[in-house]
Amino acid sequence: MTRIDAKFADLKAAGQKAFVAYVMAGDPDFDTSVQIVKGLPAAGVDIIELGLPFTDPMADGTTVQLAGQRALERGMTLDQTLQIVRELRKDDTTTPVVMMGYYNPIYSRGVDRFLQEAKEAGIDGLIIVDLPPEEDDELCIPAQNAGLNFIRLATPTTDDKRLPKVMQNTSGFVYYVSITGITGSAEAQADDVAPDVARIKAVTDLPVIVGFGVKTPASAQSIASVADGVVVGSAIVAQIEAGKPVDEVLQFVKSLADGAHKAGE
């Protein structure tokens, strides 16, 4: 059982919904990024999604793209991204961390070496948006064999024929992309999301977490009410981009987490 599996078991036993927060590793700089990541659990974050900066992030909207650029311009690397997780693990051995990004930096490092280093650093799962199920032998299967969850994205365009294939080797949870398009675009609506969450749950026992287009505590509560939890990324990254102090960023995160957690009350 991974930390992700244990977290969802605990949440289910408590009748709670999950709040997942995404931040870009190294944004706005390494030291500030460490402070933010280390502060997320106390702000109510159940699972941390840590973005791995990449030069060609095709699924990311402008806000997250710019965060990646800022991080790369500050010299952020895969090694430093892993170091942020190591810094977190000095004080926190329970909060799950999912690395989200693209395959190229992992391929360049070498899959076996990357998985060993990720596991040792304290990463629990991977979301690699440009590896479809047809490429499971590349990273998905090796990651699961190494004890990491491989979390798959499902979207509004994932039809009933495609869905079982997408779920085939998924573990940890399913990340449902609530809108068609890139991150940080339109606002997600619970009435639109609920039927697709039910459709996914019909083919998997995994928790379904909804992301993309969730920007406020009210929308976090609304979306979490029709799923097992909610992910917020761009809205948090925008606070960092605006130069808000770490404590203000974490206060904003807490407001979102409180919203999501109200959905389970």
Side-chain angles (χ1 to χ4, degrees):
M1 179 178 281
T2 66
R3 289 187 187 97
I4 297 170
D5 299 328
K7 173 60 70 174
F8 279 112
D10 289 346
L11 289 167
K12 185 175 182 179
Q16 286 191 316
K17 302 302 180 81
F19 179 69
V20 183
Y22 171 95
V23 292
M24 178 65 72
D27 178 38
D29 56 65
F30 178 83
D31 290 340
T32 307
S33 186
V34 169
Q35 289 181 54
I36 292 169
V37 168
K38 293 181 80 167
L40 290 175
V45 173
D46 297 302
I47 298 173
I48 298 169
E49 267 184 30
L50 188 62
L52 175 62
F54 181 53
T55 53
D56 188 23
M58 61 183 181
D60 296 339
T62 302
T63 300
V64 174
Q65 281 192 26
L66 290 173
Q69 288 178 17
R70 289 192 297 272
L72 291 169
E73 286 167 3
R74 292 294 184 100
M76 198 64 188
T77 62
L78 174 56
D79 285 328
Q80 286 184 305
T81 301
L82 294 173
Q83 187 58 37
I84 290 174
V85 183
R86 293 187 191 101
E87 294 297 326
L88 171 72
R89 291 293 176 227
K90 290 177 181 179
D91 305 309
D92 185 323
T93 59
T94 58
T95 303
V97 177
V98 175
M99 179 183 283
M100 185 171 187
Y102 298 83
Y103 184 45
N104 185 277
I106 295 169
Y107 177 80
S108 298
R109 173 61 53 99
V111 168
D112 291 344
R113 179 183 169 192
F114 166 77
L115 290 174
Q116 180 181 352
E117 292 174 345
K119 184 74 174 175
E120 288 174 350
I123 288 173
D124 305 289
L126 301 173
I127 300 174
I128 308 300
V129 299
D130 56 346
L131 274 182
E134 287 75 13
E135 306 295 335
D136 275 356
D137 288 342
E138 285 281 329
L139 181 62
C140 173
I141 302 301
Q144 309 230 60
N145 288 340
L148 278 73
N149 290 124
F150 197 88
I151 296 142
R152 192 84 69 190
L153 303 178
T155 74
T157 58
T158 307
D159 61 23
D160 290 341
K161 182 179 179 182
R162 178 69 173 166
L163 191 57
K165 181 72 172 177
V166 172
M167 296 298 104
Q168 188 171 279
N169 291 311
T170 300
S171 66
F173 61 93
V174 179
Y175 187 138
Y176 178 65
V177 177
S178 61
I179 52 177
T180 303
I182 54 176
T183 60
S185 47
E187 188 156 343
Q189 301 296 327
D191 289 346
D192 298 331
V193 168
D196 280 320
V197 171
R199 190 165 61 89
I200 295 167
K201 283 184 162 295
V203 298
T204 182
D205 293 329
L206 293 171
V208 179
I209 307 301
V210 177
F212 284 47
V214 182
K215 304 175 183 179
T216 65
S219 61
Q221 180 178 354
S222 175
I223 295 299
S225 70
V226 298
D228 296 301
V230 64
V231 185
V232 180
S234 294
I236 298 170
V237 173
Q239 297 281 311
I240 298 169
E241 181 181 18
K244 298 287 181 69
V246 170
D247 62 338
E248 287 188 25
V249 173
L250 294 173
Q251 285 170 17
F252 177 67
V253 171
K254 186 177 186 305
S255 74
L256 296 164
D258 288 347
H261 292 146
K262 282 180 185 175
E265 293 176 356

